[in-house]
Each structure stands twice: as C-alpha cells, then as structure tokens.
Amino acid sequence: MTQSFINGGGLPGQAFYTGAPAWVTGADRLAAAPCDRARQAQLFGLQTMVCVPVGSGVLELGSTDVVFHSPEIMGKIRVLFNFSTPDAPSVASWLTPQTAAATPATDQGETDPSVLWLTDPSAVDIKDSVSPVSATADLSVTKPPIQLENNPSSSILTESPSSSMQIQRTHNQPQQQLHQSSGSDPHTHLVFSKKFNFSEFASNGSVVPQSAKPEPSDILDFAGSNRNPSPAPVTGSFFSHHQAITAAADDKRNKRSTGATSRASNNDEGMISFSSAPARPPSDVLFKSSGGGGILDGPDSDQSDLEASAREVESIQPVEPEKRPKKRGRKPANGREEPLNHVEAERQRREKLNQRFYALRAVVPNVSKMDKASLLGDAVSYINELRSKLEALEIDKEELRAQAEALEKERESNPMPPPDHDLRTMNGSGGGRCHGVEMEVKTLGSEAMIRLQCLKRNHPAAKLMAALRDLDLDVHYASVSVVEEFMIQQATVKMSPSRAYTPEQLRAALYSKLAAEAPISR
Amino acid sequence: MTQSFINGGGLPGQAFYTGAPAWVTGADRLAAAPCDRARQAQLFGLQTMVCVPVGSGVLELGSTDVVFHSPEIMGKIRVLFNFSTPDAPSVASWLTPQTAAATPATDQGETDPSVLWLTDPSAVDIKDSVSPVSATADLSVTKPPIQLENNPSSSILTESPSSSMQIQRTHNQPQQQLHQSSGSDPHTHLVFSKKFNFSEFASNGSVVPQSAKPEPSDILDFAGSNRNPSPAPVTGSFFSHHQAITAAADDKRNKRSTGATSRASNNDEGMISFSSAPARPPSDVLFKSSGGGGILDGPDSDQSDLEASAREVESIQPVEPEKRPKKRGRKPANGREEPLNHVEAERQRREKLNQRFYALRAVVPNVSKMDKASLLGDAVSYINELRSKLEALEIDKEELRAQAEALEKERESNPMPPPDHDLRTMNGSGGGRCHGVEMEVKTLGSEAMIRLQCLKRNHPAAKLMAALRDLDLDVHYASVSVVEEFMIQQATVKMSPSRAYTPEQLRAALYSKLAAEAPISR
DNA sequence: ATGAACACGTGATTC
DNA sequence: TGAATCACGTGTTCA
C-alpha cells in the first residue's frame, strides 16, 4: 500500500475497526463519502468501492462499473478469498440506499463513459446486460455476438466503417493468444488477474489468505485458464457486465475509420510488445488490500496505485478486440518507435483528462448539459456558490457565536433562579417505573454516599444526576458501569450545610425523583 | 442588456446605488468578487471590469487585458463619454489594491493566455510594454516593430517562421482597409468601436449620454477615422497595450508551420468575409451599459452578451496581422466552405474550453501544477473540501443556533432579576462561566469516548448525562471526579447504529447541549 | 534523445 | 443540413 489509514477513519479504517464491510456504489456517493480514499477512487473513475475487513487487514475492491451490493456477491467474495469473517452477511453499512438505487442506468449514462458507449448501435445486442442492477451471473453469455476472427498479422481493412457488424479483429496479440489458449469458449476472455497488487501482499504479510497466493504464476493461471470450479465462475460472472460493456466500447472505437492502432500492442509487429503483456493483463476489477493499522512503505506518490489501476482498466482490456482500419500499408511515417508511443501517450493523456472530467461531473450538481465547456462553467459557478455560501455561513456562525456569548454572559451575571422546587415540593409517590432498583444511601456528616443499581434502560444516569442536581447535592465523585442489562452507579456527594438530609430522607427523595418519568426535561 | 441587476447587488448595482465607480482588475479578483456579473466576465476571459455610474444607469467596461485604475483613465473615460458624474475622481471602491498590484505580469502569466504569449521570443521587442502598471499612453509606439506591408490578396509565405521580424501581413481584409484609410500612422489600427452594444442603448433609452450616439454610422466613424481630437487619442492610448500583446500573440500563432488560416476571415478570398466585417470590427474593450434599476428584455441566454463580446475580442483582433505559413498552394482540400468553417468552429470551441479552464484555474486555489488534468483533479478535491467544510459549518451553526435559542428561552423565563442571585449560584466574579471547559471526544466505530473537564458549578454531571440521553447515546461507563473547583468526567458510550456521529459532530452537539442545558429542565 | 503537455486539423456523430 | 461536440492522430515545444 502506498497509503496508510489511521484510527478507523475513512472507509477502510472503519471497516477494519467495526469489522463490518463498507460498500459504496456510484461516483456521486464516492465523492460524497467522508473518506479520502473513496474520493480518490471516484477521482480515478471508479464507480464502486468495497472495503471488506479480513482478519488482519482490509480487502479493498473497486470497479469502474456500478456494482450493487447483494448477499450473493458478498458470499462469492468470501468464497473467493475464503476468509472466515465473523461479519453478519447482510448487516453492515451499505451505502447504496435508495438514492443510489434510483440511478440505475439512465443516470450513470451521464457520468460513465462505458455506459454511454452502450448507446452505440453496434452494442444493442448486449444492451440488455446493462439494465439489471443485480448483474451477477450469466451475463457473460451475452457477449458472443461479437464475432472473433483469427487473422494473424493480416492487414484487412474494413472499407465501410459505418456498418457495425463487419468488425474485423486481428488476434495476433500476445494477450489474445493467452485467451485463445484457454479454448474457444467465449467466457474465457472474461477473466481477471490479481495483478501486481497481490504481489505486494507478500511483503505486507499474509493479509489475504491462502487462495490468493502471490505467485507470479498465479497471474497467468488466472488469465489463461479458469479451472478452479468456484472462484473462476465467480469472477467471470461478477465482472462480466463491465467486460461486455468495454468490449462494445471497443467495437465503437474500432469502428472509426481512423487508423485504430492497438492500445497496448501494435498489430503488425505484435511480438514487440509481448514483454509488456504479462505486466498488464486484462483486468476489470482491482483488488487491493489496505493493511490494518497503517502500513508504511515505499515513498510512492499517493494515488498512484489507484490511478495506475484505474488507467489500466481503461486502457488494457481493449487489447483483445482488434480491427484493421482503412489505412492500408505501413504506418504513415514511422519505423521508429516514437510515433506509436506518442499516440499511445496522447491517448492516455486524453483518457486521464476525461476521467477527471467525469470526476468533476460527479461532484458538480446541476450539470445541465453534458457539454465539457458548460461543465467547466458550472463547476466554476458551483465553486463560487459554495464559497459564498460558506462565507455567509461563516458570518452567520460568527454572529450566532457572539450572540450566544452575550447571552451566556448575561446568564452568568444573572444566576439561575429556577423555580425553586426542592425536595419538599415533590411527592413521595413512586410510580412503578423502576423495577428491581436497588438503592443504598449512607451519610457521614455533610457527605453522602449513594449506590444505585437498576436497569440500564431509560438513561438512569441522567436521572440520577438530575436528581442530585435538583436536590442541590454537589457531586464529588461518581461512577457508572454497565453489566449486562444493569447499570450500577455510585456517587459521593456533599450536602449543602443549610440542608442536610438524613439517609432516609435522601433515599426517599432520590427514589421519587428517579421514579418520575424522564420525558419532561429537555 | 440581457440581464437585470437588482437592489444594488453586484458591482453594477453597487456602482449605481453608491454612485461610486467600481474597478476590478485581475481574473482572480473578478472571480472572487461578490458579484455574478464579475464572475461571468472573468469566466469569459475578461481581466478587468469597470462599472461607472452614469446618470440613469451604469457604464460597464471590460477588458481582456489587465488595466489598472488611474485618475487619468477615469478622466479620459469621463471625457470620452462626457458625462458629468458627481463622483470624486479617485474616491470609490477600487478593488485593485496591493494584492492585485502584487500580481503584475508574472502572476497573470499563469492565467491569461495573452500574457503568456509574451514569453514568445518574437515578442521581446514589445515586452517592456507589459510591466508598467500604469499602462496608459505612449505604449502604442512600441508597436511599430511589427512591420506592415500591403499585399492585397497576395499569397506571400514566410519560409522561416522562427524569425520574428519577417512577419508578413496581408492587408486585404476589409477591417484592415478601414484602418488604412485613416492613414499610415501606426496608431490608427489602435481603434475601438462602440459595436452593437451601443445600438442597444437606443432601445434601452438614453442611458449613455450624448457623445455616444446610437447611430450605426458611429461604428464606422469610430473604426474608420478618429477625427475628434479628444476621444481618439484616448482610446488609442488606453488600449494600445493590449493591442500590442495580441498582435504579438498572433505572431506566435502564425509562426506555427501548420496552415494558419485567418481567424475571422480567410486571406486569399478576403472579400468573402466582407459582409461579416461591419458586425465584427476590431475592438479591445467592450462597452456596455447596464440599465440602472434592472431592465427586462429579450429572453436571451444570459452571459451571451459577455460571451459574444469576449469571444469577439479573442477572435477578431488578430484580423489585421496576417502571415502566410509554409503551406504553399491552395488550402489542403477544400473549395467548399465547410472545412474552413469547421476549423474555425473547432477553434472557437477550443478557445471557449480554454477560457473555462482559465476561469476554473482562477477560482481553485493551490493549483500546484498548471497541468489541465491536475487542475481538474484539484478542482474536484477543492469542491469536496468546500463541501465538507460547508457541512461542518452547517452543523456548527445549527448547534450554535440551538444553543442561542436555549439561552434565549432561559433568559425569557428568567426575566433577569439581577438582585436575586442566591448563594448557591453565587459566583461573585463576572468571569466567563464555561471558561476552562475542555472536551475531548473520540470515536471507535460505534463507540465513543468522552472526556469533559469544567468547573464543578452548575452540576455539569447532570448536564452531561442529560445530553447523552438526549443524543440517544447508551452509557457504558462513566466516572465523575472533582478536584478543587473542577469536575472531570469521563464516559464511554455506544451510538445507535442509525445515528453515528463523527467526533466533531458529537463534540459540537454535546457542547451545545451542555451550554444550553439549564436550570429549567426539571 | 525522452516524455509530457498542448494546440491544431480532421472525421464522425448527434440533434 | 448546418451547428456543435467529441475523439483521434499529429506536430511542436519544454523540461
């Protein structure tokens, strides 16, 4: 981890200390969460963030897709990382209430590009995979409509880019081959890897249990084949949603007639980028564990982990579907490696910029038009609005504070002549309120010792203290303890010399006070 | 006017009601001004905004340049519009104090592209025209280094664009011809027109006095010839600064090797854009008058006036300096008019976007890197920061309000009988009551630890317990001890899951409760 | 040389 | 059919 989490603050810390998972869905909620980590996540385009306490640490999950909480998912997560958490399955603080549920697909369409892409006609066939909120299983089967063809190092060009179904793909990319090696099953490309993040666990200690071993072979194992019966289907179903979407997105992208060079590898000389392939396997969801109390490690720039991961999500998966644009021969004017790098870098820059735009969109309310320019304008005015509001509040507060101070001072000089109701005014009738109350009162001169045991319900401590106050007894010492459903209070008080009670009087007075129902006060 | 200004709010309204001109310099100040109009102005790239009350209305001036206030300028404005304002020459609320003066050129260089351009080597010869704060007169003479040539409809191209002195210009543009008609004096192109904005005055009523007649001929009169001895030199000197800058800027732009087509008109077929020429005369400063009390008029989109004006500034002046890039023959692949329009539109879009970026940069503090992406990120976090701050303040205020209310109520029920203080409440010293109260609140999940130290007077134990009860906090443990005149209380409580507080919230709530808690209770 | 950041022209898409 | 927006590839400029 490149960050440390203190004290139970933020979502990870909270999850760690309470032992209850935290699940936040929706960029807006992420941005609004009282947790910097969540804001970071949202800033880098994540739409869902989950913190699951696991033994000595917290398992952190994120997705650029909107994934809602469901007991099944939690169960699958638990199985996948097979930890034995004592957390009740569906308890905890799910932060995905009505508001989030009220923004299923239409709203996200405004903030999430991947969902936006679904408006593309070429993606209609998988469109139904978007709407379901509980997108868990069997969504992967909606993917096959994208036809795959094997044209190693070919230069096929699609002359009519507007027809969405004539998509051609080259599969000579190394990642592609990895996928293909697992068979022709369309599910096979719905994979995820544990990535480098898991390799950190080795140095972190065994934060994540056994099923996720930090062996590098695990990466290939996950990427290449999903053999294990339980985890693989889980991941496949859990993330197939997003996978399908991004695939569709790529369809759209490649449909463009511009020279659509591949993203993480170049088509014609596929082997060039092979070395970088294992380092960036396709992945939809980021797994990452925050060490419990706060682990200090390398002086990486913070956020970099999330940023890198988020970008990876954005720029890696499109690796597999590829298409030859109409640009025929060799690349326009290269041979050196720079231009391609340049293009890629520029692409990433744009991507990052857009991520920021989405983030900004998420935090700025009332973004009328989805236009970038107006978004910026709205952001500015929103900031100004917030500022002036804040300023006004500051003034208000100052004013109120002054006023309160004045009143306070006035009250001070004006002691408190309360409706002098001392113990004599009170009746001795004790309502049957306090069952099983036990009270013991002893006096020694002007000092008195009081011991009271009763049910902890109805805030007996408040009652006793109020009674002592009303009886004008100065508290010297008091203690309150709770055992089971009982509360035991002890106090030593000093009676005002003008009014000394016998223990019996005191007991009676206190009893009646305590029996009196509480609600009146304030 | 497309907007109405109420009540003396904002700069225009303030100027109108106070009768004192308002002068705001610097994008940051514009953005920070408590005036929507100013923010708009800033949003559209203006750096200076001036509101001069004039009889029945307010004369509004804006400049994309940084123009500082000086009595001479005011005098010239007064002469130019020869109104007889009763405003003291140098009184009023000049909002360009030290801070603004402290950001002369270096600072603006970060937010103003036009100033940024000055770093271009080709502009060194006029660089000295930037630094002076009182840039009024005789700056226009720094302009001549840009050599003007008359090459009507020629297609001269400069092959070595890096040399700043070989700038070639075509003067076949209609605006240029208008300028030339006034003579070869280099001052002559430093003109401004009253533009269409003035034509609105006709319908608005005579807001602006006599010298600015709403005759359309006035436009040509101002643009074509500066006959009247007083106004013309004024305008020339007043705006020469910016003119020089933008000219330099254009130099840089045209230095690029790309096909630098002209901005508001195409060079080769200069006559094509002739029709649009009168509608967009070169102008550095926008003149515009806000009707005093608030004039309702067409349902135009607000901001449109400013936006149009600002964009005009941006896209029009470069008309005169023109240069042929190295692209030789005709335009790459056009003939139809679309591509050029398209390019132009895209340019404007970019321009607008950048304007917004500058605006955002101005309102977001601590923009570490000038990078667009990080700017956006900073904006997001800034917004979140503002939000949480605002939320915290809101809570604070609420607490304070409750506290004040309680005190108020107490005072009411306690019709201040000063002579009544009996011995128990005593305290002869008028010192602050709650002084020396210390509270510490920590939360761990749903559990909270509270430590409170205060004077033992007024039964703070009863107050605390009542407060805990009212806040629905279950007391697990509590202890009260007294040392000297202080009482020290400690308690651990459990928050109900539905109502979890942050430590700050809890502290604020408790504080207000304690302060409010009063003798009345029961 | 290398990478980051930016602006520009261009094609595509949408209304 | 324009107008507006967007994404992309490219060239350029700074460190």
Side-chain angles (χ1 to χ4, degrees):
Chain A
M1 283 301 301
T2 60
Q3 299 189 354
S4 58
F5 302 91
I6 39 142
N7 210 14
L11 256 36
Q14 176 186 324
F16 183 74
Y17 277 96
T18 66
W23 190 297
V24 187
T25 302
D28 44 349
R29 297 217 144 246
L30 275 175
C35 168
D36 282 341
R37 183 70 171 170
R39 298 208 193 99
Q40 277 176 36
Q42 182 265 357
L43 214 149
F44 290 114
L46 295 197
Q47 296 262 359
T48 302
M49 174 178 170
V50 179
C51 293
V52 183
V54 37
S56 59
V58 172
L59 171 66
E60 199 181 29
L61 302 96
S63 171
T64 55
D65 194 19
V66 175
V67 180
F68 291 92
H69 166 255
S70 79
E72 309 99 76
I73 295 186
M74 276 304 297
K76 287 166 180 172
I77 290 178
R78 222 176 290 114
V79 169
L80 178 57
F81 294 92
N82 68 318
F83 50 80
S84 57
T85 46
D87 61 313
S90 58
V91 232
S93 62
W94 306 123
L95 293 184
T96 63
Q98 325 75 292
T99 54
T103 64
T106 59
D107 189 358
Q108 300 150 11
E110 294 181 352
T111 58
D112 190 354
S114 64
V115 179
L116 257 183
W117 289 336
L118 273 179
T119 61
D120 187 64
S122 71
V124 284
D125 35 12
I126 62 170
K127 187 174 275 175
D128 47 352
S129 68
V130 184
S131 46
V133 170
S134 63
T136 55
D138 66 49
L139 281 176
S140 56
V141 295
T142 63
K143 179 109 195 313
I146 301 175
Q147 39 173 309
L148 307 177
E149 297 187 7
N150 222 334
N151 293 317
S153 73
S154 67
S155 58
I156 294 181
L157 60 126
T158 306
E159 203 48 49
S160 61
S162 60
S163 96
S164 60
M165 272 303 112
Q166 301 184 358
I167 300 163
Q168 311 272 351
R169 291 161 205 287
T170 64
H171 293 298
N172 54 338
Q173 286 81 25
Q175 293 90 341
Q176 195 58 38
Q177 292 171 343
L178 275 180
H179 296 168
Q180 297 293 351
S181 70
S182 64
S184 60
D185 181 2
H187 285 234
T188 50
H189 57 275
L190 302 175
V191 293
F192 87 107
S193 79
K194 299 188 172 176
K195 286 211 291 90
F196 56 88
N197 285 321
F198 278 118
S199 63
E200 291 180 0
F201 296 163
S203 56
N204 258 0
S206 63
V207 174
V208 166
Q210 311 72 19
S211 81
K213 301 200 187 73
E215 301 168 345
S217 67
D218 218 25
I219 297 175
L220 290 179
D221 193 23
F222 259 80
S225 64
N226 37 11
R227 282 294 147 257
N228 12 13
S230 66
V234 168
T235 61
S237 59
F238 185 49
F239 310 125
S240 59
H241 179 190
H242 186 215
Q243 186 75 8
I245 291 177
T246 51
D250 217 67
D251 284 352
K252 175 181 179 187
R253 169 168 296 136
N254 287 355
K255 219 180 56 183
R256 296 187 74 259
S257 64
T258 70
T261 57
S262 76
R263 289 220 137 188
S265 65
N266 36 2
N267 318 344
D268 294 326
E269 292 82 353
M271 42 297 297
I272 289 182
S273 65
F274 186 75
S275 59
S276 67
R280 316 177 99 197
S283 117
D284 275 318
V285 174
L286 326 169
F287 286 84
K288 169 163 269 303
S289 165
S290 353
I295 297 177
L296 307 175
D297 38 9
D300 276 345
S301 79
D302 49 354
Q303 304 183 339
S304 66
D305 57 335
L306 261 181
E307 182 166 18
S309 304
R311 198 179 304 177
E312 205 168 38
V313 166
E314 194 50 56
S315 61
I316 292 311
Q317 318 132 324
V319 138
E320 53 154 291
E322 212 54 52
K323 185 192 66 156
R324 222 68 213 88
K326 67 175 158 194
K327 265 291 174 54
R328 172 151 228 96
R330 284 278 155 255
K331 302 111 203 169
N334 55 4
R336 54 217 204 270
E337 57 151 353
E338 260 307 9
L340 270 185
N341 264 352
H342 184 36
V343 167
E344 176 66 17
E346 176 66 11
R347 242 194 299 246
Q348 285 188 359
R349 191 183 82 90
R350 268 195 299 264
E351 207 83 55
K352 189 167 76 177
L353 246 172
N354 278 343
Q355 298 271 10
R356 303 297 169 85
F357 267 111
Y358 301 137
L360 190 60
R361 247 185 272 267
V363 297
V364 177
N366 308 328
V367 267
S368 45
K369 306 195 10 218
M370 281 313 285
D371 173 20
K372 278 185 189 175
S374 23
L375 164 65
L376 286 180
D378 285 350
V380 171
S381 46
Y382 181 56
I383 286 181
N384 282 323
E385 179 190 327
L386 279 184
R387 258 202 206 162
S388 50
K389 210 177 277 181
L390 204 143
E391 193 176 332
L393 262 186
E394 198 85 59
I395 292 177
D396 276 20
K397 184 184 152 192
E398 187 52 39
E399 216 165 77
L400 272 173
R401 205 190 53 71
Q403 174 183 346
E405 205 167 78
L407 281 172
E408 192 87 39
K409 196 171 285 178
E410 170 184 335
R411 189 185 65 159
E412 240 163 64
S413 59
N414 230 19
M416 31 152 72
D420 207 335
H421 54 328
D422 46 342
L423 78 164
R424 292 171 282 235
T425 65
M426 82 194 54
N427 50 9
S429 79
R433 187 60 201 90
C434 292
H435 296 289
V437 302
E438 267 180 39
M439 194 190 306
E440 189 183 344
V441 177
K442 288 178 187 165
T443 60
L444 265 165
S446 65
E447 304 240 289
M449 197 277 278
I450 299 163
R451 198 187 67 79
L452 170 66
Q453 170 181 341
C454 61
L455 289 173
K456 71 173 182 182
R457 287 208 45 80
N458 293 98
H459 296 275
K463 287 184 192 173
L464 178 60
M465 292 303 159
L468 296 181
R469 176 194 59 196
D470 293 349
L471 292 177
D472 217 9
L473 302 171
D474 272 345
V475 177
H476 274 187
Y477 165 81
S479 83
V480 177
S481 316
V482 170
V483 283
E484 301 285 330
E485 73 268 31
F486 292 105
M487 176 179 282
I488 293 155
Q489 302 184 67
Q490 281 180 300
T492 64
V493 300
K494 184 163 170 45
M495 297 180 277
S496 72
S498 61
R499 243 203 299 272
Y501 303 95
T502 69
E504 294 75 24
Q505 284 178 323
L506 196 48
R507 196 183 121 88
L510 283 174
Y511 209 98
S512 76
K513 285 265 177 203
L514 296 179
E517 202 37 84
I520 312 164
S521 78
R522 90 164 109 143
Chain B
M1 282 302 300
T2 60
Q3 299 190 352
S4 58
F5 301 91
I6 41 143
N7 209 16
L11 255 38
Q14 174 187 325
F16 183 74
Y17 277 94
T18 66
W23 189 298
V24 186
T25 302
D28 44 348
R29 297 218 141 247
L30 275 175
C35 169
D36 281 341
R37 184 69 171 170
R39 296 204 195 105
Q40 278 175 37
Q42 184 265 355
L43 214 149
F44 290 114
L46 296 196
Q47 295 262 359
T48 303
M49 173 175 169
V50 180
C51 293
V52 183
V54 38
S56 58
V58 171
L59 172 65
E60 198 182 28
L61 302 95
S63 170
T64 55
D65 194 20
V66 175
V67 180
F68 292 93
H69 166 256
S70 79
E72 308 100 76
I73 295 186
M74 277 306 296
K76 287 165 180 174
I77 291 178
R78 220 176 292 113
V79 168
L80 177 57
F81 294 91
N82 68 317
F83 51 80
S84 56
T85 46
D87 61 313
S90 58
V91 229
S93 62
W94 306 122
L95 295 184
T96 63
Q98 324 76 290
T99 54
T103 64
T106 59
D107 189 358
Q108 301 148 14
E110 295 180 2
T111 58
D112 189 353
S114 66
V115 179
L116 259 183
W117 290 337
L118 272 178
T119 62
D120 187 66
S122 70
V124 285
D125 36 11
I126 60 169
K127 187 173 273 175
D128 47 351
S129 67
V130 184
S131 45
V133 171
S134 61
T136 53
D138 67 48
L139 281 176
S140 56
V141 294
T142 63
K143 179 114 193 317
I146 302 174
Q147 40 173 303
L148 307 177
E149 297 187 7
N150 224 335
N151 293 317
S153 76
S154 68
S155 59
I156 293 180
L157 61 124
T158 306
E159 202 50 45
S160 62
S162 60
S163 98
S164 61
M165 275 303 114
Q166 301 185 1
I167 300 164
Q168 311 271 349
R169 292 161 206 283
T170 64
H171 294 296
N172 54 339
Q173 285 82 22
Q175 294 91 339
Q176 195 57 39
Q177 292 171 343
L178 278 178
H179 295 170
Q180 297 294 349
S181 71
S182 67
S184 61
D185 181 0
H187 284 233
T188 49
H189 59 274
L190 303 173
V191 293
F192 82 103
S193 79
K194 297 191 173 174
K195 284 206 299 99
F196 57 87
N197 285 320
F198 277 118
S199 63
E200 291 179 0
F201 297 163
S203 55
N204 258 1
S206 62
V207 174
V208 167
Q210 313 70 21
S211 79
K213 299 198 188 75
E215 303 166 342
S217 67
D218 218 26
I219 296 174
L220 290 180
D221 194 22
F222 259 82
S225 64
N226 38 10
R227 283 294 148 256
N228 8 17
S230 64
V234 168
T235 62
S237 59
F238 186 47
F239 309 125
S240 59
H241 178 193
H242 185 218
Q243 187 75 9
I245 290 176
T246 51
D250 217 68
D251 285 352
K252 173 182 180 186
R253 168 167 295 138
N254 288 356
K255 215 178 58 179
R256 296 186 73 262
S257 65
T258 71
T261 58
S262 77
R263 287 222 138 187
S265 65
N266 33 4
N267 319 342
D268 295 326
E269 291 81 352
M271 42 294 299
I272 287 184
S273 64
F274 187 76
S275 59
S276 67
R280 314 178 102 199
S283 116
D284 275 316
V285 174
L286 325 169
F287 286 85
K288 169 166 269 302
S289 165
S290 354
I295 297 177
L296 307 175
D297 37 8
D300 275 346
S301 79
D302 49 356
Q303 303 183 341
S304 65
D305 58 333
L306 261 182
E307 184 167 17
S309 303
R311 198 178 304 178
E312 205 168 37
V313 167
E314 192 51 52
S315 59
I316 293 311
Q317 321 130 323
V319 138
E320 54 152 292
E322 212 55 51
K323 184 190 66 156
R324 228 62 214 92
K326 66 174 152 194
K327 264 291 175 51
R328 174 149 227 97
R330 283 279 156 251
K331 302 110 201 167
N334 56 3
R336 53 212 203 277
E337 56 149 354
E338 263 306 9
L340 270 184
N341 262 353
H342 184 36
V343 168
E344 176 66 17
E346 179 65 12
R347 240 194 300 243
Q348 285 187 359
R349 191 182 83 89
R350 269 195 298 264
E351 205 84 53
K352 189 167 74 179
L353 246 171
N354 277 342
Q355 299 271 7
R356 303 297 167 86
F357 267 111
Y358 300 137
L360 191 60
R361 226 171 243 130
V363 296
V364 177
N366 306 329
V367 268
S368 43
K369 312 217 336 246
M370 281 313 281
D371 174 21
K372 277 186 188 176
S374 24
L375 165 65
L376 286 180
D378 286 350
V380 171
S381 46
Y382 181 55
I383 285 182
N384 280 324
E385 178 190 328
L386 279 185
R387 259 202 205 161
S388 50
K389 209 177 279 180
L390 203 144
E391 192 178 335
L393 260 187
E394 197 86 56
I395 292 177
D396 277 18
K397 184 187 153 190
E398 187 50 41
E399 301 300 346
L400 272 173
R401 204 191 50 71
Q403 172 182 346
E405 204 169 77
L407 283 172
E408 192 85 39
K409 196 176 286 178
E410 167 188 340
R411 194 187 55 163
E412 261 165 39
S413 64
N414 247 14
M416 44 159 53
D420 189 69
H421 43 343
D422 41 342
L423 73 163
R424 344 173 242 243
T425 51
M426 64 122 272
N427 119 355
S429 76
R433 179 192 71 78
C434 263
H435 288 191
V437 15
E438 272 178 36
M439 194 191 311
E440 185 182 349
V441 176
K442 286 179 188 161
T443 61
L444 271 166
S446 63
E447 302 238 282
M449 198 277 278
I450 300 162
R451 198 186 66 77
L452 170 66
Q453 168 181 339
C454 60
L455 290 173
K456 70 174 182 180
R457 291 253 154 243
N458 294 343
H459 296 276
K463 289 183 191 174
L464 178 60
M465 292 303 158
L468 296 180
R469 177 195 57 199
D470 294 349
L471 291 176
D472 217 8
L473 301 170
D474 273 349
V475 177
H476 275 183
Y477 165 79
S479 82
V480 177
S481 315
V482 170
V483 283
E484 302 283 335
E485 74 269 30
F486 291 106
M487 176 178 282
I488 293 155
Q489 302 184 68
Q490 277 179 304
T492 64
V493 299
K494 182 158 173 53
M495 298 182 273
S496 69
S498 60
R499 193 93 183 95
Y501 300 92
T502 69
E504 294 77 21
Q505 288 175 324
L506 194 51
R507 198 183 119 90
L510 282 175
Y511 208 99
S512 80
K513 287 269 177 201
L514 294 180
E517 189 49 56
I520 309 168
S521 80
R522 79 169 130 147

